Amino acid sequence: MAATLHDVSKLAGVSIKTVSNVINDYPYIRESTRAKVLAAIAELGYTPNLSARNLRIGRSNVISLVIPELRNAYFAELADSVMRAASGRGYAVLIEQFGNTREEELAVVRKARGQMVDGILYSVLTLGEDDRELLNEVKMPTVLLGERIFDGPKDHVTMQNVEGARAATEALLRDGRRRIVALGAHPGEVIGSAGLRLTGYREALDAAGLPLDDELVIPVDTWHRADGARAMRAFLDQDVPFDGVVAFNDTLAFGALRVLQEAGRRVPEDVALIGFDDIDETRYSMPTLSTIDPGRDEIARRAVDLLLRRIEEGADTVQPVEVAVPFRLIERESTGGPPDAATGRSLPLEPAVTH
Amino acid sequence: MAATLHDVSKLAGVSIKTVSNVINDYPYIRESTRAKVLAAIAELGYTPNLSARNLRIGRSNVISLVIPELRNAYFAELADSVMRAASGRGYAVLIEQFGNTREEELAVVRKARGQMVDGILYSVLTLGEDDRELLNEVKMPTVLLGERIFDGPKDHVTMQNVEGARAATEALLRDGRRRIVALGAHPGEVIGSAGLRLTGYREALDAAGLPLDDELVIPVDTWHRADGARAMRAFLDQDVPFDGVVAFNDTLAFGALRVLQEAGRRVPEDVALIGFDDIDETRYSMPTLSTIDPGRDEIARRAVDLLLRRIEEGADTVQPVEVAVPFRLIERESTGGPPDAATGRSLPLEPAVTH
DNA sequence: GTGAAAGCGCTAACAC
DNA sequence: GTGTTAGCGCTTTCAC
């Protein structure tokens, strides 16, 4: 059995309170006492029981991050950013993935790890307006990441899906592309990432006076590499002419890129390609991938800030906040740009990590 | 303030024990009582305070996973696998990253999140034999992942670094390559991944009767894409002839691939390239990347099994176990193989996820 | 089947 | 500066 405060206090010949004081850096302790206590702690290999401490003080200094799946590079990089932001402020992060189904997502939100965490960062995937009730029931401090689908009861940090997708599409239009594929649609969806990005795509076409051609909107189930590859292969089989692709995330774009290259289409000469997310891989692919940087790092930082404010100030009084983080269009080789417009170098020598 | 068992029991008009019984699915409760309690729970929005429960029962059903960084696809995929294995058994996972420095690694191991987790899965990066003492001091159930560097006090699940790297090198030798670069060495290291993989490379050369040419061993700081690119560019500048590259992980390989292609070297015609890790990207790159599948998924499963056994059986009696998970050589286009030998298809349509 | 009460290890009033 | 003690919310004997 692990040593307790009590054991330490006995060994050191002081009271339990004194030991607690030493551990919690209470200032006014005689040096000799402190030394005795420290020695006893070392001898017993004592570590405080955090469950007990958490119970007592009512907090755990752990937040949870609820995401679809870590396997997806965007979420892995997001998780990394969140963890850095959180650990800088003394919080650990417990990650829960729910995969890509609505049922699992609902299940995770419903249980939401009880009180063992102080707050939740929740990256919404499929929930929509109809689920607002459910979110109301989550009493714990919660910050929503992802879509701006709730005018709702929670703080919300979002990327600019519509604007980003529009900028991506416009970049291709500017380059003279006229038959631009939208890769990654979720038919019928309006409010999720896929719906919003499709809206941005549509807006860009509208503004350019181009009609929306349904043949050019390619639906997929999920946003994995395999989906991008499969969908692009099926699309090529249909022999529909096209000269550009706006993929709704980078992973889809890479799946499609492989199939395009296999089929002998040159990127960007025959087909200009742009993704969304700015994952690390985009800077080193052949060609490097143009993309929308959604501001992942800032999203993480802002979200953690908001969440900790709710936690630490118990700020239930404050109105829910909505933050839309700015995006950046990054033009690289896949749309005829330089290898990496972000660094302006032939090929970036440092990973684009900014913390 | 959140509702407690007490509040629920008052509202339901039963004792605290009865409520507890309902929550914990204790069998013999009158249906009418159960219904009353459930109604009260719903009305109050009660959720059990896990800190209190954990304190009482002495466990949290949380394990921590200590890794260098999530940003690295190998670890993201490993974390994903670990989380699936753990959640199947009712455990959540708290991830701690320590980056790529020895100091941070030591710091994380030293604190090891106190008793708030029931056990630790620790992916060793730089610690070596000299740090055995430190690990001895970690009282909590711990399973080591990664290198087989301790004959030591902890269970250990490892990939076959030497054998895998040897198989990778032999694949190139079999293909007639004679000037094979080893990309990713850590000079002076014997016992970490880099050291072991270099040993495998050397063994393969030895067995083929080829001398080791120091010029062909390329050191890097870390194993990111940027390092692979930077190192390969510097190497090309030296004009040392070569016809194959064994990269010590896939990410390095992709960084190098980009630079090779930029320089007009054809892969695999001019240079055969093989990586290590079998991350998802390897199946969709152009060319698809040959690699060593280290058995990530099985590593995760075995490690979780071992850890939970230690936790649940309190099995300090059992001798520490060492498990070496089998690897697979996967030959794809970058060494002149088919697009994806794993599926045998032109391009895999499903992600290679097996759970 | 249900209730009363002890106690998990800690923090923080409060006394001295 | 240090000791005493109550109690955080839960589980779990042990009565009844």
Side-chain angles (χ1 to χ4, degrees):
Chain A
M1 203 51 213
T4 75
L5 261 194
H6 221 97
D7 302 331
V8 176
S9 76
K10 263 191 303 199
L11 182 61
V14 299
S15 91
I16 199 175
K17 173 62 165 39
T18 305
V19 180
S20 177
N21 283 343
V22 170
I23 290 167
N24 297 299
D25 293 322
Y26 183 74
Y28 309 111
I29 309 169
R30 199 167 311 172
E31 257 321 310
S32 60
T33 317
R34 181 197 302 281
K36 261 194 312 196
V37 171
L38 257 19
I41 287 176
E43 182 172 342
L44 292 170
Y46 167 78
T47 63
N49 179 321
L50 295 188
S51 293
R53 170 183 290 168
N54 293 344
L55 170 60
R56 182 59 235 230
I57 66 182
R59 299 213 284 110
S60 62
N61 281 10
V62 177
I63 59 177
S64 71
L65 173 66
V66 177
I67 53 175
E69 48 179 9
L70 224 36
R71 188 171 292 275
N72 176 326
Y74 175 75
F75 290 111
E77 295 187 9
L78 176 69
D80 181 310
S81 298
V82 165
M83 291 173 62
R84 286 172 208 264
S87 79
R89 313 220 3 211
Y91 281 76
V93 178
L94 191 137
I95 298 178
E96 311 229 35
Q97 358 185 45
F98 55 80
N100 286 288
T101 70
R102 186 174 156 78
E103 302 81 69
E104 282 184 273
E105 182 172 2
L106 286 169
V108 169
V109 174
R110 285 221 182 78
K111 80 176 157 69
R113 271 289 136 185
Q115 345 251 341
M116 225 182 43
V117 298
D118 297 337
I120 302 172
L121 247 39
Y122 165 37
S123 183
V124 183
L125 184 67
T126 70
L127 296 201
E129 295 291 351
D130 299 346
D131 305 297
R132 187 185 295 219
E133 262 316 297
L134 185 62
L135 280 180
N136 269 321
E137 285 169 25
V138 177
K139 297 298 182 225
M140 183 156 329
T142 303
V143 173
L144 269 23
L145 297 175
E147 314 331 320
R148 176 196 238 120
I149 47 179
F150 307 97
D151 242 346
K154 304 292 184 195
D155 289 338
H156 203 159
V157 180
T158 169
M159 58 179 70
Q160 304 204 28
N161 283 295
V162 176
E163 297 81 357
R166 177 172 175 161
T169 310
E170 284 171 348
L172 298 199
L173 290 168
R174 223 168 17 241
D175 190 39
R177 314 291 169 155
R178 284 300 173 269
R179 300 274 305 161
I180 301 174
V181 165
L183 173 61
H186 289 163
E189 182 186 301
V190 179
I191 216 72
S193 307
L196 296 172
R197 292 180 192 178
L198 186 60
T199 300
Y201 164 81
R202 189 182 290 128
E203 284 184 6
L205 294 185
D206 277 357
L210 288 171
L212 179 89
D213 183 344
D214 282 337
E215 273 190 333
L216 296 181
V217 177
I218 310 185
V220 297
D221 286 337
T222 59
W223 283 2
H224 296 121
R225 243 173 258 273
D227 298 288
R230 190 191 306 115
M232 182 51 72
R233 183 165 316 127
F235 181 73
L236 288 179
D237 285 346
Q238 294 175 234
D239 266 332
V240 176
F242 70 108
D243 56 10
V245 175
V246 174
F248 287 178
N249 84 354
D250 290 339
T251 318
L252 283 172
F254 283 122
L257 175 61
R258 161 71 204 203
V259 169
L260 287 169
Q261 292 177 323
E262 219 175 47
R265 310 281 180 122
R266 292 169 307 156
V267 176
E269 293 84 351
D270 303 329
V271 178
L273 173 64
I274 188 165
F276 204 115
D277 280 351
D278 192 36
I279 62 177
D280 192 43
E281 186 180 346
T282 55
R283 292 177 197 81
Y284 297 89
S285 54
M286 190 67 164
T288 52
L289 185 67
S290 299
T291 191
I292 299 296
D293 170 7
R296 189 178 20 72
D297 229 70
E298 185 174 348
I299 289 175
R301 213 167 28 233
R302 298 291 300 270
V304 168
D305 282 352
L306 285 174
L307 186 58
L308 298 196
R309 199 192 63 186
R310 292 272 171 203
I311 293 171
E312 290 170 3
E313 300 179 7
D316 248 10
T317 51
V318 185
Q319 276 293 317
V321 175
E322 298 224 340
V323 176
V325 166
F327 70 93
R328 284 186 317 148
L329 168 68
I330 302 182
E331 301 196 67
R332 300 201 183 96
E333 291 168 345
S334 71
T335 56
D340 184 22
T343 65
R345 269 188 298 222
S346 153
L347 196 65
L349 295 180
E350 301 303 329
V353 182
T354 32
H355 297 289
Chain B
M1 201 51 213
T4 75
L5 260 195
H6 221 94
D7 302 330
V8 175
S9 75
K10 262 192 302 198
L11 182 61
V14 299
S15 90
I16 201 175
K17 173 61 163 44
T18 306
V19 180
S20 176
N21 282 342
V22 170
I23 290 167
N24 297 300
D25 293 322
Y26 183 75
Y28 309 111
I29 310 169
R30 203 165 311 169
E31 255 322 308
S32 60
T33 317
R34 180 196 304 279
K36 262 193 310 196
V37 171
L38 256 20
I41 288 176
E43 183 172 341
L44 292 171
Y46 168 78
T47 61
N49 179 319
L50 295 188
S51 292
R53 171 182 288 168
N54 294 344
L55 170 58
R56 182 58 233 230
I57 66 182
R59 297 212 284 111
S60 62
N61 281 7
V62 177
I63 59 177
S64 71
L65 174 65
V66 177
I67 53 175
E69 49 179 8
L70 224 35
R71 189 171 291 274
N72 176 326
Y74 175 75
F75 290 112
E77 296 186 8
L78 176 70
D80 184 319
S81 297
V82 165
M83 289 173 65
R84 285 171 207 264
S87 80
R89 309 211 18 201
Y91 280 76
V93 178
L94 192 137
I95 298 178
E96 311 229 34
Q97 356 184 47
F98 55 79
N100 287 287
T101 70
R102 185 175 156 79
E103 302 82 68
E104 283 186 90
E105 182 171 2
L106 286 170
V108 169
V109 174
R110 284 219 183 80
K111 80 176 157 69
R113 270 288 135 185
Q115 346 250 340
M116 224 183 42
V117 298
D118 297 336
I120 302 172
L121 247 38
Y122 165 36
S123 182
V124 183
L125 183 67
T126 70
L127 296 201
E129 294 292 350
D130 298 346
D131 305 298
R132 189 184 295 221
E133 262 316 297
L134 184 62
L135 279 179
N136 268 322
E137 283 168 26
V138 176
K139 297 297 182 224
M140 185 155 331
T142 303
V143 172
L144 269 24
L145 297 174
E147 315 330 321
R148 178 197 237 116
I149 48 181
F150 308 96
D151 241 348
K154 303 293 183 193
D155 289 338
H156 202 159
V157 179
T158 169
M159 59 179 69
Q160 303 203 29
N161 283 294
V162 176
E163 298 80 355
R166 176 170 176 163
T169 311
E170 284 171 347
L172 298 199
L173 290 168
R174 220 164 23 236
D175 189 38
R177 314 289 169 155
R178 285 298 173 271
R179 300 274 306 162
I180 301 174
V181 165
L183 174 60
H186 289 164
E189 182 187 301
V190 179
I191 216 76
S193 306
L196 295 172
R197 291 178 195 179
L198 186 59
T199 300
Y201 165 82
R202 188 182 289 126
E203 284 184 7
L205 294 185
D206 278 356
L210 288 171
L212 179 88
D213 183 345
D214 281 337
E215 274 188 330
L216 296 180
V217 176
I218 310 184
V220 298
D221 286 337
T222 58
W223 283 2
H224 297 121
R225 246 173 255 272
D227 299 288
R230 191 190 305 113
M232 182 51 72
R233 182 162 321 122
F235 181 72
L236 287 179
D237 284 347
Q238 294 176 235
D239 266 332
V240 175
F242 69 107
D243 56 11
V245 176
V246 173
F248 287 178
N249 84 354
D250 290 339
T251 317
L252 283 173
F254 284 121
L257 175 61
R258 161 72 205 204
V259 170
L260 288 169
Q261 292 177 323
E262 220 173 46
R265 311 281 180 123
R266 291 169 307 156
V267 176
E269 293 83 351
D270 303 329
V271 177
L273 174 64
I274 187 165
F276 204 113
D277 280 351
D278 192 36
I279 64 177
D280 192 43
E281 189 180 344
T282 55
R283 292 179 198 79
Y284 297 89
S285 53
M286 190 70 168
T288 52
L289 184 67
S290 298
T291 191
I292 300 296
D293 169 6
R296 188 178 22 70
D297 228 70
E298 184 174 349
I299 289 174
R301 214 167 25 234
R302 297 293 298 269
V304 169
D305 282 352
L306 284 173
L307 185 59
L308 298 197
R309 198 192 64 185
R310 291 273 172 202
I311 292 171
E312 291 171 2
E313 301 179 5
D316 248 11
T317 51
V318 185
Q319 276 294 317
V321 174
E322 297 224 341
V323 176
V325 166
F327 70 94
R328 283 186 318 149
L329 167 68
I330 302 183
E331 300 196 68
R332 301 201 182 97
E333 292 167 346
S334 71
T335 55
D340 184 21
T343 65
R345 269 187 299 221
S346 153
L347 195 64
L349 295 179
E350 303 302 331
V353 180
T354 31
H355 295 291

